[in-house]
Amino acid sequence: MSQRRVALVTGSATGVGRACAIRFAKHGFDVVVNYSRSEAEARETVAQVEAAGAKALLIACDISDDEGVKAMLAKIETEFGRLDVLVNNAACTFPVEHKNLDGMTEDKWDRILDVNVKGTFFVTRAATPLLRKSDDAAVVNVSSIAGIAGTGSSIAYCASKGAVNTMTKSLARVLAPIRVNAVCPGPIDTRWLHSFMTDEQIAGMVAKLPIPKAATPDDIADSVFYLACGTTLTTGQLLSVDGGMNL
């Protein structure tokens, strides 16, 4: 068994996932870098994790594939023999205006729910036996303010993150003493956000917030790391990191 703590960060090729992977590496964790399609970017994350002095294990896995998820956790057990932190970051959405009800097609619904809800559950379930071996295990779900406010990239995305929020509370009860919490970001300045919004649109969206700026991936990693390692009695909680958007 590895003497160093181990963190699995799903969807860690880019953005928040990458920031979390690097953050854990800098704090003495070895890190499992997971991706589904972005192999080149995932290898960049691995390089940055290793540059921080940590060991990195790269695993390709679509978290909506339950058998693939089980195989991923089996690899982690073989490689490290332990898992101390799980960050459920992998997610997907399709930008569809809420009023465009016909645009929210069944195939889009299915993919969003398969990844965001079922995938988060599949990974947590498969990780639980290893997490139970840790003296201080934690699960942090990267959810969204969309799951609280009902505003976001699509109705299906909002619904999926609402499900993640309630699942966080359910899992906190049944997995205790493993702590299970969720971070609920507002807008995050990432490549994905810029794929369908201009700089001016993003600035306009946050202009009237109490803290009028979009989060950076590192802002979210701050909160993820706190919930994973900076508290011992916090569980079943939803931490909004949104500049006051939901006030």
Side-chain angles (χ1 to χ4, degrees), residues 50-67:
E50 291 175 342
K55 183 174 182 178
L57 175 63
L58 179 64
I59 302 180
C61 175
D62 181 334
I63 65 165
S64 69
D65 174 7
D66 193 24
E67 291 305 312

Side-chain angles (χ1 to χ4, degrees), residues 91-108:
C92 79
T93 189
F94 300 95
V96 177
E97 283 191 272
H98 287 211
K99 64 184 179 182
N100 182 11
L101 300 183
D102 290 332
M104 198 64 252
T105 57
E106 186 174 6
D107 61 321
K108 290 183 172 68

Side-chain angles (χ1 to χ4, degrees), residues 164-186:
V164 168
N165 290 346
T166 54
M167 183 164 59
T168 296
K169 294 180 177 292
S170 297
L171 290 172
R173 293 187 184 97
V174 300
L175 298 187
I178 299 169
R179 293 179 298 101
V180 185
N181 294 285
V183 174
C184 296

Side-chain angles (χ1 to χ4, degrees), residues 196-206:
F196 64 94
M197 293 186 73
T198 66
D199 289 341
E200 292 74 18
Q201 288 172 321
I202 295 170
M205 178 171 56
V206 301

Side-chain angles (χ1 to χ4, degrees), residues 42-124:
R43 292 191 180 279
E44 291 175 11
T45 302
V46 166
Q48 293 185 52
V49 165
E50 291 175 342
K55 183 174 182 178
L57 175 63
L58 179 64
I59 302 180
C61 175
D62 181 334
I63 65 165
S64 69
D65 174 7
D66 193 24
E67 291 305 312
V69 167
K70 292 175 183 176
M72 175 170 66
L73 269 297
K75 289 180 183 177
I76 295 169
E77 183 169 21
T78 298
E79 184 71 21
F80 295 113
R82 66 185 296 170
L83 183 65
D84 302 272
V85 171
L86 166 62
V87 180
N88 282 309
N89 172 71
C92 79
T93 189
F94 300 95
V96 177
E97 283 191 272
H98 287 211
K99 64 184 179 182
N100 182 11
L101 300 183
D102 290 332
M104 198 64 252
T105 57
E106 186 174 6
D107 61 321
K108 290 183 172 68
W109 267 105
D110 288 346
R111 182 60 182 162
I112 289 170
L113 295 180
D114 282 350
V115 175
N116 297 5
V117 183
K118 291 166 63 177
T120 296
F121 176 79
F122 290 160
V123 178
T124 305

Side-chain angles (χ1 to χ4, degrees), residues 23-37:
R23 182 67 58 91
F24 282 99
K26 288 180 176 179
H27 283 84
F29 282 75
D30 290 331
V31 180
V32 183
V33 175
N34 159 256
Y35 73 99
S36 61
R37 293 177 297 178

